[in-house]
């Protein structure tokens, strides 16, 4: 009976290496958050369970067979962003980034939903019209750019500069890897160099965001960066026990469960542990990028894998650079590690999309028509 709806051959094409890279990050995160805050730990376990369930569901969902749903998913995300700008909830940080669902009082962050929607939409459009030799020319580049700029502007209005920049870098970075004519990139770089000072002084950049930049440029680091550096340095080469990691336990280290969780990890596991964690992220990123190179003609998988790999790299690099004082504090979490359900579930959705595109890559061979079991003569 089950085989009439699901062909077991699909399981043979699921990538089982990807979860092996993700699992250590999830386990380590759960341990560290439990050490700092038991209440948050319980919530984090719920988020983790939801993320894993969503990952499994999307992995077994044949996205290739329902590719026509992608534009609807994208425009739904755009609608939620517009709604957030109109009636969104401010959770005390001066940013209107959440929607509160009626009756159940559950909050939703549309800027997280739009990330997989935008990545899929970009992949969908590129798969429909792959780049010619020499890369996309101006007309096609402008069309694809509109799909990126629209959600980015809506996110910037919330305001959320960190996510806006991340969306721009991830999506235009994907276009760079897919193929766009080099003259377009040279023009963009020249325009950015000319317009950057004007943008910095424009109303698009809020006063508190300029303040963060000015604090970063000061010779004396801000309080949170100073405490973060103390935590990292106190870990030494081999780290400390939970009771000895006083920066987090005595609440000197700010936001130790989310934005600055890497500093607490360095205090607990030291220099060598931190190197090991960075290597794990590097291997995960390189592995995802290698998936993009499996089939040069499969632009759907290629675009999604490039985007997810870039997203992991940017979030990891920016978070760690922020924690060690090399970048201003922008509130970008450490992927799969920082406390917070929205970010974790988003990454699990993206991993599930990659798994689905791999699992159902040969669906036309062994499972046609969709999920119908053919009996022998």
């Amino acid at each position: 009976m089950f085989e009439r709806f699901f062909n077991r051959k699909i399981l043979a094409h699921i990538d089982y290496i990807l979860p092996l890279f993700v699992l250590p990050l999830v386990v380590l995160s759960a341990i560290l958050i439990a050490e700092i805050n038991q209440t948050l730990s319980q919530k984090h376990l719920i988020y983790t369970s939801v993320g894993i369930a969503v990952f499994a569901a999307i992995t077994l969902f044949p996205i290739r067979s329902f590719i026509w749903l992608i534009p609807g998913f994208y425009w739904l995300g755009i609608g939620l962003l517009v709604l957030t700008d109109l009636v969104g909830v401010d959770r005390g940080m001066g940013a209107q980034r959440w929607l509160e669902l009626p009756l159940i009082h559950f909050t939703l962050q549309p800027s997280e939903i739009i990330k997989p929607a935008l990545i899929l939409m970009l992949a969908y459009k590129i798969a429909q019209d792959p780049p010619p030799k020499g890369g996309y020319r101006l007309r096609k580049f402008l069309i694809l750019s509109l799909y990126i700029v629209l959600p980015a502007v809506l996110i910037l209005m919330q305001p959320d500069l960190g996510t806006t920049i991340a969306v721009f870098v991830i999506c235009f970075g994907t276009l760079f890897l897919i193929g766009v004519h080099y003259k377009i990139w040279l023009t963009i770089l020249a325009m950015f160099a000319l317009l950057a000072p004007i943008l910095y002084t424009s109303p698009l950049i809020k006063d508190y965001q300029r303040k963060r930049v000015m604090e970063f440029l000061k010779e004396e680091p801000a309080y949170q960066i100073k405490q973060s550096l103390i935590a990292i340095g106190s870990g030494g080469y081999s780290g400390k026990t939970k009771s000895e990691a006083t920066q987090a336990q005595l609440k000197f280290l700010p936001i130790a469960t989310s934005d600055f969780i890497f500093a607490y990890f360095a205090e607990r596991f030291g220099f060598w542990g931190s190197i090991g964690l960075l290597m794990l992220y590097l291997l995960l990123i390189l592995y995802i990028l290698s998936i993009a190179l499996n089939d040069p003609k499969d632009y759907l998988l290629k675009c999604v894998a490039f985007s997810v790999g870039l997203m992991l790299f940017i979030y990891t690099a920016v978070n760690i650079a922020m924690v060690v004082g090399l970048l201003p504090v922008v509130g970008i979490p450490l992927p799969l590690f920082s406390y917070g359900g929205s970010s974790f579930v988003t990454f699990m959705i993206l991993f599930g999309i990659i798994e689905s595109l791999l699992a159902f890559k040969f669906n036309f061979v062994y499972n046609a028509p969709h999920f119908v079991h053919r009996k022998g003569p």
Side-chain angles (χ1 to χ4, degrees):
M1 177 66 74
F2 179 72
E3 290 188 0
R4 295 180 63 181
F5 301 97
F6 182 81
N7 194 312
R8 291 180 181 175
K9 292 180 181 178
I10 294 169
L11 298 176
H13 294 279
I14 291 176
D15 189 306
Y16 294 100
I17 298 177
L18 182 58
L20 292 178
F21 282 120
V22 173
L23 185 60
L25 295 171
V26 174
V27 172
L28 279 170
S29 172
I31 292 171
L32 293 177
I33 292 171
E35 289 182 357
I36 300 169
N37 191 312
Q38 281 293 331
T39 303
L40 291 183
S41 174
Q42 294 172 5
K43 292 182 180 180
H44 186 70
L45 288 176
I46 295 173
Y47 294 147
T48 302
S49 302
V50 170
I52 292 172
V54 169
F55 168 77
I58 294 178
T59 295
L60 299 178
F61 179 76
I63 293 174
R64 292 181 187 271
S65 299
F66 295 91
I67 193 173
W68 50 272
L69 288 174
I70 290 176
F73 182 34
Y74 172 82
W75 289 111
L76 173 64
I78 294 295
L80 291 174
L81 285 175
V82 172
L83 199 59
T84 304
D85 289 336
L86 295 175
V87 296
V89 176
D90 183 348
R91 298 172 77 178
M93 293 181 287
Q96 195 170 297
R97 302 174 189 171
W98 293 268
L99 282 176
E100 184 172 329
L101 302 182
L103 302 178
I104 61 175
H105 301 294
F106 179 80
T107 54
L108 187 70
Q109 192 172 357
S111 60
E112 290 296 330
I113 295 173
I114 198 64
K115 290 171 188 173
L118 175 55
I119 288 171
L120 278 172
M121 188 65 173
L122 204 58
Y124 172 74
K125 287 296 181 181
I126 290 171
Q128 281 188 325
D129 185 12
K133 186 177 180 181
Y136 287 122
R137 297 311 193 264
L138 184 60
R139 180 178 176 276
K140 183 65 178 180
F141 175 76
L142 290 176
I143 292 172
L144 293 173
S145 296
L146 285 175
Y147 288 104
I148 302 169
V149 171
L150 178 57
V153 169
L154 292 172
I155 294 170
L156 183 62
M157 290 170 63
Q158 294 179 356
D160 189 349
L161 182 61
T163 301
T164 303
I165 293 173
V167 166
F168 267 113
V169 175
I170 291 162
C171 294
F172 283 108
T174 300
L175 289 180
F176 176 81
L177 293 173
I178 291 294
V180 173
H181 199 271
Y182 75 94
K183 290 183 179 178
I184 294 175
W185 296 121
L186 293 176
T187 304
I188 290 174
L189 288 174
M191 289 177 63
F192 179 77
L194 291 171
L195 296 176
I198 299 172
L199 289 172
Y200 181 76
T201 56
S202 73
L204 293 173
I205 307 298
K206 306 298 179 183
D207 289 338
Y208 77 90
Q209 292 167 340
R210 293 192 192 94
K211 183 180 177 183
R212 287 179 177 178
V213 175
M214 295 307 296
E215 287 179 348
F216 169 70
L217 295 175
K218 287 181 181 178
E219 187 175 343
E220 182 74 13
Y223 172 81
Q224 52 192 358
I225 298 298
K226 188 183 296 184
Q227 297 302 322
S228 174
L229 292 172
I230 291 171
I232 293 170
S234 68
Y237 281 104
S238 56
K240 295 180 174 181
T241 63
K242 174 186 172 182
S243 59
E244 293 175 334
T246 54
Q247 281 297 109
Q249 298 302 330
L250 298 180
K251 312 300 182 185
F252 290 115
L253 182 64
I255 330 177
T257 57
S258 53
D259 290 356
F260 287 84
I261 195 170
F262 178 77
Y264 179 58
F265 178 87
E267 187 178 23
R268 284 283 283 109
F269 298 100
F271 174 78
W272 297 118
S274 300
I275 293 296
L277 182 64
L278 293 177
M279 288 300 298
L280 183 57
Y281 273 111
L282 179 61
L283 290 172
L284 174 60
I285 292 165
L286 291 177
Y287 185 73
I288 291 173
L289 292 177
S290 73
I291 292 174
L293 304 177
N294 283 348
D295 183 355
K297 295 182 179 180
D298 187 355
Y299 279 95
L300 197 63
L301 176 60
K302 190 176 182 179
C303 186
V304 170
F306 275 149
S307 298
V308 176
L310 282 172
M311 187 172 172
L312 268 170
F313 172 75
I314 291 163
Y315 272 57
T316 304
V318 170
N319 178 271
I320 293 175
M322 175 187 75
V323 166
V324 299
L326 295 178
L327 283 178
V329 177
V330 291
I332 287 182
L334 188 59
L336 310 169
F337 218 74
S338 294
Y339 169 80
S342 299
S343 175
F344 181 79
V345 172
T346 297
F347 274 105
M348 295 308 286
I349 289 172
L350 292 170
F351 294 151
I353 291 170
I354 291 175
E355 291 283 15
S356 174
L357 294 177
L358 288 169
F360 292 89
K361 183 176 177 64
F362 303 103
N363 188 42
F364 65 92
V365 175
Y366 58 69
N367 210 30
H370 307 313
F371 301 110
V372 176
H373 178 64
R374 295 183 177 182
K375 296 181 178 180

